[in-house]
mmCIF file of all heavy atoms in Angstrom:
data_model
loop_
_atom_site.group_PDB
_atom_site.id
_atom_site.type_symbol
_atom_site.label_atom_id
_atom_site.label_comp_id
_atom_site.label_asym_id
_atom_site.label_seq_id
_atom_site.Cartn_x
_atom_site.Cartn_y
_atom_site.Cartn_z
ATOM 1 N N TRP A 5 -10.248 35.302 -38.823
ATOM 2 C CA TRP A 5 -9.550 35.932 -37.700
ATOM 3 C C TRP A 5 -9.674 35.068 -36.443
ATOM 4 O O TRP A 5 -8.699 34.883 -35.705
ATOM 5 C CB TRP A 5 -10.141 37.326 -37.452
ATOM 6 C CG TRP A 5 -9.472 38.045 -36.333
ATOM 7 C CD1 TRP A 5 -8.302 38.737 -36.373
ATOM 8 C CD2 TRP A 5 -9.942 38.123 -34.985
ATOM 9 N NE1 TRP A 5 -8.009 39.239 -35.137
ATOM 10 C CE2 TRP A 5 -9.010 38.878 -34.257
ATOM 11 C CE3 TRP A 5 -11.052 37.625 -34.325
ATOM 12 C CZ2 TRP A 5 -9.149 39.161 -32.913
ATOM 13 C CZ3 TRP A 5 -11.200 37.902 -32.973
ATOM 14 C CH2 TRP A 5 -10.255 38.657 -32.281
ATOM 15 N N GLU A 6 -10.873 34.539 -36.181
ATOM 16 C CA GLU A 6 -11.068 33.683 -35.002
ATOM 17 C C GLU A 6 -10.221 32.413 -35.096
ATOM 18 O O GLU A 6 -9.633 31.985 -34.101
ATOM 19 C CB GLU A 6 -12.551 33.336 -34.840
ATOM 20 C CG GLU A 6 -13.384 34.505 -34.378
ATOM 21 C CD GLU A 6 -14.879 34.204 -34.350
ATOM 22 O OE1 GLU A 6 -15.287 33.067 -34.702
ATOM 23 O OE2 GLU A 6 -15.640 35.111 -33.980
ATOM 24 N N ARG A 7 -10.160 31.830 -36.286
ATOM 25 C CA ARG A 7 -9.312 30.632 -36.466
ATOM 26 C C ARG A 7 -7.840 30.964 -36.227
ATOM 27 O O ARG A 7 -7.117 30.194 -35.577
ATOM 28 C CB ARG A 7 -9.493 30.054 -37.867
ATOM 29 C CG ARG A 7 -10.788 29.321 -38.055
ATOM 30 C CD ARG A 7 -10.889 28.759 -39.448
ATOM 31 N NE ARG A 7 -12.201 28.172 -39.693
ATOM 32 C CZ ARG A 7 -12.678 27.913 -40.893
ATOM 33 N NH1 ARG A 7 -11.946 28.160 -41.970
ATOM 34 N NH2 ARG A 7 -13.877 27.388 -41.041
ATOM 35 N N ALA A 8 -7.413 32.084 -36.761
ATOM 36 C CA ALA A 8 -6.015 32.490 -36.581
ATOM 37 C C ALA A 8 -5.716 32.739 -35.103
ATOM 38 O O ALA A 8 -4.648 32.353 -34.602
ATOM 39 C CB ALA A 8 -5.717 33.741 -37.401
ATOM 40 N N ARG A 9 -6.649 33.352 -34.388
ATOM 41 C CA ARG A 9 -6.463 33.600 -32.959
ATOM 42 C C ARG A 9 -6.374 32.275 -32.198
ATOM 43 O O ARG A 9 -5.519 32.098 -31.326
ATOM 44 C CB ARG A 9 -7.619 34.449 -32.412
ATOM 45 C CG ARG A 9 -7.361 34.939 -30.989
ATOM 46 C CD ARG A 9 -8.587 35.496 -30.367
ATOM 47 N NE ARG A 9 -9.504 34.355 -30.193
ATOM 48 C CZ ARG A 9 -10.808 34.445 -30.116
ATOM 49 N NH1 ARG A 9 -11.388 35.601 -30.221
ATOM 50 N NH2 ARG A 9 -11.557 33.386 -29.948
ATOM 51 N N GLU A 10 -7.256 31.317 -32.547
ATOM 52 C CA GLU A 10 -7.225 29.998 -31.904
ATOM 53 C C GLU A 10 -5.901 29.299 -32.173
ATOM 54 O O GLU A 10 -5.323 28.684 -31.272
ATOM 55 C CB GLU A 10 -8.392 29.145 -32.392
ATOM 56 C CG GLU A 10 -9.744 29.599 -31.890
ATOM 57 C CD GLU A 10 -10.904 28.877 -32.560
ATOM 58 O OE1 GLU A 10 -10.654 28.014 -33.440
ATOM 59 O OE2 GLU A 10 -12.053 29.192 -32.221
ATOM 60 N N GLU A 11 -5.404 29.394 -33.417
ATOM 61 C CA GLU A 11 -4.123 28.762 -33.758
ATOM 62 C C GLU A 11 -2.978 29.424 -33.002
ATOM 63 O O GLU A 11 -2.041 28.744 -32.562
ATOM 64 C CB GLU A 11 -3.883 28.824 -35.265
ATOM 65 C CG GLU A 11 -4.750 27.861 -36.046
ATOM 66 C CD GLU A 11 -4.476 27.899 -37.539
ATOM 67 O OE1 GLU A 11 -3.388 28.353 -37.935
ATOM 68 O OE2 GLU A 11 -5.357 27.464 -38.303
ATOM 69 N N ALA A 12 -3.042 30.744 -32.850
ATOM 70 C CA ALA A 12 -1.993 31.447 -32.103
ATOM 71 C C ALA A 12 -2.017 31.018 -30.637
ATOM 72 O O ALA A 12 -0.956 30.801 -30.023
ATOM 73 C CB ALA A 12 -2.170 32.955 -32.225
ATOM 74 N N GLU A 13 -3.215 30.883 -30.062
ATOM 75 C CA GLU A 13 -3.331 30.424 -28.677
ATOM 76 C C GLU A 13 -2.798 29.000 -28.538
ATOM 77 O O GLU A 13 -2.099 28.672 -27.558
ATOM 78 C CB GLU A 13 -4.787 30.502 -28.211
ATOM 79 C CG GLU A 13 -5.283 31.916 -28.019
ATOM 80 C CD GLU A 13 -6.776 31.986 -27.737
ATOM 81 O OE1 GLU A 13 -7.457 30.933 -27.766
ATOM 82 O OE2 GLU A 13 -7.262 33.106 -27.487
ATOM 83 N N LYS A 14 -3.117 28.149 -29.520
ATOM 84 C CA LYS A 14 -2.641 26.763 -29.498
ATOM 85 C C LYS A 14 -1.116 26.733 -29.586
ATOM 86 O O LYS A 14 -0.452 25.983 -28.850
ATOM 87 C CB LYS A 14 -3.255 25.989 -30.661
ATOM 88 C CG LYS A 14 -2.873 24.531 -30.698
ATOM 89 C CD LYS A 14 -3.546 23.829 -31.855
ATOM 90 C CE LYS A 14 -3.124 22.379 -31.963
ATOM 91 N NZ LYS A 14 -3.749 21.707 -33.114
ATOM 92 N N ALA A 15 -0.554 27.571 -30.467
ATOM 93 C CA ALA A 15 0.908 27.629 -30.605
ATOM 94 C C ALA A 15 1.545 28.107 -29.307
ATOM 95 O O ALA A 15 2.604 27.591 -28.893
ATOM 96 C CB ALA A 15 1.297 28.555 -31.751
ATOM 97 N N GLU A 16 0.912 29.062 -28.635
ATOM 98 C CA GLU A 16 1.439 29.556 -27.359
ATOM 99 C C GLU A 16 1.410 28.450 -26.293
ATOM 100 O O GLU A 16 2.376 28.283 -25.530
ATOM 101 C CB GLU A 16 0.623 30.765 -26.897
ATOM 102 C CG GLU A 16 1.174 31.462 -25.686
ATOM 103 C CD GLU A 16 2.529 32.106 -25.917
ATOM 104 O OE1 GLU A 16 2.805 32.539 -27.055
ATOM 105 O OE2 GLU A 16 3.320 32.139 -24.958
ATOM 106 N N ARG A 17 0.330 27.680 -26.253
ATOM 107 C CA ARG A 17 0.244 26.559 -25.303
ATOM 108 C C ARG A 17 1.315 25.513 -25.598
ATOM 109 O O ARG A 17 1.973 24.997 -24.678
ATOM 110 C CB ARG A 17 -1.150 25.922 -25.360
ATOM 111 C CG ARG A 17 -2.221 26.736 -24.666
ATOM 112 C CD ARG A 17 -3.520 25.954 -24.497
ATOM 113 N NE ARG A 17 -4.036 25.378 -25.731
ATOM 114 C CZ ARG A 17 -4.875 25.976 -26.572
ATOM 115 N NH1 ARG A 17 -5.286 27.196 -26.324
ATOM 116 N NH2 ARG A 17 -5.300 25.361 -27.662
ATOM 117 N N LEU A 18 1.494 25.175 -26.901
ATOM 118 C CA LEU A 18 2.536 24.197 -27.277
ATOM 119 C C LEU A 18 3.922 24.704 -26.905
ATOM 120 O O LEU A 18 4.783 23.932 -26.461
ATOM 121 C CB LEU A 18 2.461 23.895 -28.775
ATOM 122 C CG LEU A 18 1.239 23.096 -29.235
ATOM 123 C CD1 LEU A 18 1.228 22.989 -30.759
ATOM 124 C CD2 LEU A 18 1.241 21.707 -28.602
ATOM 125 N N LYS A 19 4.150 25.990 -27.055
ATOM 126 C CA LYS A 19 5.444 26.575 -26.691
ATOM 127 C C LYS A 19 5.686 26.431 -25.185
ATOM 128 O O LYS A 19 6.784 26.074 -24.761
ATOM 129 C CB LYS A 19 5.469 28.052 -27.084
ATOM 130 C CG LYS A 19 6.716 28.776 -26.697
ATOM 131 C CD LYS A 19 6.610 30.252 -27.058
ATOM 132 C CE LYS A 19 7.672 31.057 -26.360
ATOM 133 N NZ LYS A 19 7.472 32.485 -26.522
ATOM 134 N N GLU A 20 4.640 26.710 -24.396
ATOM 135 C CA GLU A 20 4.779 26.580 -22.944
ATOM 136 C C GLU A 20 5.061 25.125 -22.556
ATOM 137 O O GLU A 20 5.917 24.855 -21.698
ATOM 138 C CB GLU A 20 3.514 27.072 -22.248
ATOM 139 C CG GLU A 20 3.326 28.571 -22.312
ATOM 140 C CD GLU A 20 1.974 29.025 -21.764
ATOM 141 O OE1 GLU A 20 1.235 28.201 -21.169
ATOM 142 O OE2 GLU A 20 1.647 30.211 -21.945
ATOM 143 N N ILE A 21 4.351 24.181 -23.185
ATOM 144 C CA ILE A 21 4.572 22.757 -22.906
ATOM 145 C C ILE A 21 5.997 22.362 -23.276
ATOM 146 O O ILE A 21 6.696 21.677 -22.514
ATOM 147 C CB ILE A 21 3.536 21.893 -23.651
ATOM 148 C CG1 ILE A 21 2.136 22.116 -23.062
ATOM 149 C CG2 ILE A 21 3.912 20.426 -23.608
ATOM 150 C CD1 ILE A 21 1.021 21.481 -23.891
ATOM 151 N N ALA A 22 6.447 22.809 -24.436
ATOM 152 C CA ALA A 22 7.807 22.476 -24.886
ATOM 153 C C ALA A 22 8.847 23.079 -23.953
ATOM 154 O O ALA A 22 9.858 22.427 -23.642
ATOM 155 C CB ALA A 22 8.015 22.973 -26.308
ATOM 156 N N THR A 23 8.594 24.292 -23.488
ATOM 157 C CA THR A 23 9.549 24.936 -22.583
ATOM 158 C C THR A 23 9.631 24.164 -21.272
ATOM 159 O O THR A 23 10.726 23.943 -20.736
ATOM 160 C CB THR A 23 9.115 26.396 -22.305
ATOM 161 O OG1 THR A 23 9.027 27.088 -23.535
ATOM 162 C CG2 THR A 23 10.098 27.105 -21.401
ATOM 163 N N ARG A 24 8.487 23.726 -20.763
ATOM 164 C CA ARG A 24 8.502 22.929 -19.520
ATOM 165 C C ARG A 24 9.231 21.604 -19.721
ATOM 166 O O ARG A 24 9.990 21.166 -18.854
ATOM 167 C CB ARG A 24 7.070 22.679 -19.055
ATOM 168 C CG ARG A 24 6.518 23.858 -18.271
ATOM 169 C CD ARG A 24 5.188 23.507 -17.629
ATOM 170 N NE ARG A 24 4.189 24.303 -18.355
ATOM 171 C CZ ARG A 24 3.039 23.855 -18.813
ATOM 172 N NH1 ARG A 24 2.696 22.604 -18.647
ATOM 173 N NH2 ARG A 24 2.228 24.651 -19.437
ATOM 174 N N ARG A 25 9.026 20.975 -20.872
ATOM 175 C CA ARG A 25 9.702 19.691 -21.142
ATOM 176 C C ARG A 25 11.212 19.878 -21.227
ATOM 177 O O ARG A 25 11.984 19.073 -20.690
ATOM 178 C CB ARG A 25 9.181 19.066 -22.426
ATOM 179 C CG ARG A 25 7.846 18.424 -22.269
ATOM 180 C CD ARG A 25 7.455 17.689 -23.519
ATOM 181 N NE ARG A 25 6.104 17.145 -23.393
ATOM 182 C CZ ARG A 25 5.371 16.759 -24.395
ATOM 183 N NH1 ARG A 25 5.845 16.830 -25.627
ATOM 184 N NH2 ARG A 25 4.163 16.282 -24.199
ATOM 185 N N VAL A 26 11.622 20.927 -21.919
ATOM 186 C CA VAL A 26 13.067 21.176 -22.047
ATOM 187 C C VAL A 26 13.643 21.461 -20.664
ATOM 188 O O VAL A 26 14.713 20.965 -20.308
ATOM 189 C CB VAL A 26 13.333 22.341 -23.022
ATOM 190 C CG1 VAL A 26 14.777 22.813 -22.931
ATOM 191 C CG2 VAL A 26 13.017 21.916 -24.436
ATOM 192 N N SER A 27 12.926 22.240 -19.869
ATOM 193 C CA SER A 27 13.418 22.550 -18.524
ATOM 194 C C SER A 27 13.534 21.285 -17.686
ATOM 195 O O SER A 27 14.525 21.078 -16.970
ATOM 196 C CB SER A 27 12.487 23.543 -17.827
ATOM 197 O OG SER A 27 12.520 24.771 -18.478
ATOM 198 N N SER A 28 12.510 20.429 -17.768
ATOM 199 C CA SER A 28 12.569 19.198 -16.969
ATOM 200 C C SER A 28 13.652 18.271 -17.498
ATOM 201 O O SER A 28 14.323 17.572 -16.733
ATOM 202 C CB SER A 28 11.212 18.503 -16.942
ATOM 203 O OG SER A 28 10.867 18.062 -18.234
ATOM 204 N N THR A 29 13.877 18.258 -18.815
ATOM 205 C CA THR A 29 14.935 17.429 -19.396
ATOM 206 C C THR A 29 16.290 17.940 -18.951
ATOM 207 O O THR A 29 17.196 17.154 -18.634
ATOM 208 C CB THR A 29 14.842 17.421 -20.937
ATOM 209 O OG1 THR A 29 13.556 16.969 -21.314
ATOM 210 C CG2 THR A 29 15.900 16.533 -21.552
ATOM 211 N N CYS A 30 16.440 19.251 -18.923
ATOM 212 C CA CYS A 30 17.718 19.834 -18.490
ATOM 213 C C CYS A 30 17.987 19.484 -17.031
ATOM 214 O O CYS A 30 19.137 19.311 -16.624
ATOM 215 C CB CYS A 30 17.705 21.352 -18.653
ATOM 216 S SG CYS A 30 17.856 21.861 -20.373
ATOM 217 N N MET A 31 16.956 19.391 -16.236
ATOM 218 C CA MET A 31 17.136 19.036 -14.830
ATOM 219 C C MET A 31 17.598 17.584 -14.689
ATOM 220 O O MET A 31 18.268 17.239 -13.728
ATOM 221 C CB MET A 31 15.829 19.222 -14.058
ATOM 222 C CG MET A 31 15.428 20.655 -13.919
ATOM 223 S SD MET A 31 16.724 21.469 -13.004
ATOM 224 C CE MET A 31 15.952 22.982 -12.647
ATOM 225 N N GLU A 32 17.219 16.742 -15.643
ATOM 226 C CA GLU A 32 17.589 15.333 -15.559
ATOM 227 C C GLU A 32 19.009 15.057 -16.059
ATOM 228 O O GLU A 32 19.560 14.000 -15.814
ATOM 229 C CB GLU A 32 16.584 14.501 -16.366
ATOM 230 C CG GLU A 32 15.202 14.496 -15.770
ATOM 231 C CD GLU A 32 14.219 13.723 -16.626
ATOM 232 O OE1 GLU A 32 14.636 13.071 -17.607
ATOM 233 O OE2 GLU A 32 13.017 13.791 -16.319
#
């Protein structure tokens, strides 16, 4: 359960990073 929670948190962080990159790319 702890590993799954860590992976979910990691996936959420990667999603936020990807969203920021797409937003910055769209601005360019």
Side-chain angles (χ1 to χ4, degrees):
W5 181 81
E6 288 174 0
R7 285 181 186 162
R9 190 192 67 205
E10 289 171 359
E11 286 182 21
E13 289 172 356
K14 182 179 177 182
E16 187 65 31
R17 284 192 307 270
L18 290 174
K19 177 183 165 189
E20 289 173 9
I21 292 170
T23 302
R24 277 189 249 134
R25 283 187 184 162
V26 167
S27 294
S28 65
T29 303
C30 286
M31 291 299 192
E32 293 177 8

